[in-house]
Amino acid sequence: MPLREVFESQPERRYIMFGGKGGLGKTTLSATCAFWLASQGKKVLLFSVDPQASLSDIFQRDIFGQGPVSIMQNLWAQEVDADRRIREYQDEIRKKILDMYGFERVPEEIDNYISAASAEPAMEESAIFDAVVDIIVQGDYDYYIYDLVPLGHALYYLSMAKVYDEWINKITKLREEMGRYDQVAATMRRQETHEEDNILKELQYIKSRINASSQILTDKRRTAFFFVLVPEEMIILDTRKAAELFARFDVPISGYVVNRVLPEDLGRGNIPAYLKNRIDLQQKYMAQIRASLGKDVLAYVPEMERDVAGLKMIERLAEKLF
């Protein structure tokens, strides 16, 4: 089924991801898909949390850290500033500590710990995960297109929802048990009222956000994940392994897009041996892709004669992709 028919026949799929190894054209195809959907009259947000994101480059606009920026009618793009998000995340933690425990100021040893934790990868991943949840649960757009980070990080991100969910479940259960014990103790002391459990309330809030995000990522009806690959031996092998890993996280794989396909007529005539060898190799790997992925390939995207940057080049690529 061509990529155009995938979108036309399944309009309820609103959360779109293009994934794969770095340097295969994920950002280019994400931007092209966003352009095409916006051209069809859909309200689209294309966003990235990759610190090395290139949405600014491809749209030739400075959009980093500025929130959703209007690119054209119906299309907005956003690059999340992870460092700023971490600072905001730290401030939220400090505020919650003050609210929960009634301190006038955060104790120095706790504040030092919060500051030091910003250097930990877990703090960055947690802040980024929180930023993504903020974006995708808002519901302001017809389509959310997530320009994924390279494959290894993407798998880590996708696994975090499950890891967080299990961790929060354990903490929440423990907190609920402690609450029941407190109620029994209060009853024995003949106390009539109990203070609201703000910690449990916060845990339940976090859990609801994680569940909302997890349900979106693993919802076959609303989410589409497209693997991007190119006709090269190692990329084909890595894609097969990655597809198996994604299946373990219940992420619905909607199909494959083969990028940077050389024109068939390029190998005809008197051409240098080096170029002929490259073309022969690509045709060999194209045969492997057709044999192993077959009908799951939704588009073969030709190698363009120049870099895809700016709306005119994106429009040209959209005509070929859709």
Side-chain angles (χ1 to χ4, degrees):
M1 177 185 292
L3 196 56
R4 172 192 286 266
E5 291 183 20
V6 171
F7 283 95
E8 290 177 344
S9 64
Q10 298 161 344
E12 66 278 12
R13 289 188 173 180
R14 299 178 55 203
Y15 304 96
I16 312 299
M17 292 177 276
F18 286 86
K21 294 193 70 171
L24 301 184
K26 297 188 301 296
T27 299
T28 301
L29 295 177
S30 297
T32 305
C33 181
F35 175 92
W36 183 78
L37 286 168
S39 301
Q40 306 300 305
K42 308 299 182 184
K43 190 177 177 183
V44 182
L45 175 66
L46 168 64
F47 68 99
S48 173
V49 296
D50 188 349
Q52 298 178 327
S54 49
L55 295 183
S56 290
D57 296 332
I58 198 164
F59 288 122
Q60 299 178 323
R61 298 273 300 275
D62 181 15
I63 61 175
F64 181 73
Q66 300 184 33
V69 173
S70 177
I71 302 297
M72 56 180 273
Q73 186 175 10
N74 297 324
L75 174 58
W76 286 260
Q78 180 175 1
E79 286 180 337
V80 176
D81 182 345
D83 290 337
R84 187 167 73 187
R85 184 67 190 178
I86 289 172
R87 292 194 295 274
E88 293 171 350
Y89 198 61
Q90 290 175 320
D91 290 341
E92 288 175 18
I93 292 172
R94 293 186 179 99
K95 183 176 184 305
K96 286 173 181 174
I97 289 174
L98 294 177
D99 291 343
M100 285 183 188
Y101 297 101
F103 295 145
E104 292 185 357
R105 56 185 291 273
V106 177
E108 184 177 353
E109 59 272 22
I110 295 177
D111 197 56
N112 289 340
Y113 176 78
I114 293 172
S115 298
S118 64
E120 296 290 334
M123 173 68 88
E124 181 179 352
E125 299 290 353
S126 180
I128 289 174
F129 181 85
D130 216 42
V132 173
V133 173
D134 271 348
I135 291 171
I136 64 176
V137 302
Q138 286 174 352
D140 296 333
Y141 299 87
D142 296 324
Y143 285 89
Y144 292 86
I145 300 183
Y146 185 2
D147 178 26
L148 277 175
V149 291
L151 207 49
H153 289 150
L155 281 169
Y156 182 70
Y157 163 75
L158 294 169
S159 69
M160 281 190 71
K162 283 196 171 185
V163 172
Y164 277 177
D165 193 39
E166 290 175 5
W167 180 74
I168 291 291
N169 275 338
K170 289 179 182 177
I171 301 295
T172 303
K173 184 180 178 183
L174 180 62
R175 191 68 195 179
E176 288 172 342
E177 290 174 354
M178 289 173 62
R180 286 197 290 272
Y181 292 140
D182 287 344
Q183 286 183 2
V184 171
T187 301
M188 292 177 68
R189 292 197 297 268
R190 297 182 182 280
Q191 294 176 338
E192 294 183 354
T193 59
H194 310 292
E195 290 185 359
E196 187 178 18
D197 191 334
N198 288 328
I199 295 177
L200 180 58
K201 189 177 175 183
E202 178 67 15
L203 288 168
Q204 290 170 339
Y205 169 70
I206 295 171
K207 181 175 170 58
S208 69
R209 284 167 57 81
I210 291 172
N211 283 343
S213 176
S214 297
Q215 287 169 6
I216 289 172
L217 288 172
T218 57
D219 188 337
K220 292 181 172 60
R221 185 177 59 84
R222 293 188 296 168
T223 302
F225 183 96
F226 303 106
F227 261 115
V228 180
L229 71 158
V230 297
E232 294 179 12
E233 183 175 22
M234 293 307 297
I235 300 300
I236 295 170
L237 292 174
D238 286 343
T239 301
R240 287 176 184 156
K241 291 176 184 174
E244 293 173 2
L245 285 173
F246 272 62
R248 293 183 195 172
F249 292 112
D250 298 323
V251 177
I253 298 174
S254 302
Y256 300 83
V257 177
V258 184
N259 197 18
R260 295 178 185 162
V261 179
L262 296 174
E264 290 184 5
D265 58 358
L266 190 62
R268 297 170 189 163
N270 187 20
I271 60 174
Y274 168 82
L275 182 57
K276 185 175 189 315
N277 188 51
R278 294 298 303 176
I279 293 171
D280 289 345
L281 275 175
Q282 187 172 96
Q283 289 177 350
K284 170 186 169 186
Y285 297 130
M286 285 289 289
Q288 289 183 11
I289 290 172
R290 290 191 178 96
S292 59
L293 301 179
K295 60 181 177 54
D296 293 327
V297 177
L298 305 174
Y300 292 93
V301 183
E303 179 80 271
M304 304 296 279
E305 76 279 7
R306 64 181 69 175
D307 292 342
V308 177
L311 291 179
K312 286 188 177 179
M313 278 303 292
I314 293 173
E315 183 178 15
R316 282 187 56 199
L317 190 62
E319 291 169 357
K320 299 180 182 301
L321 183 60
F322 292 95

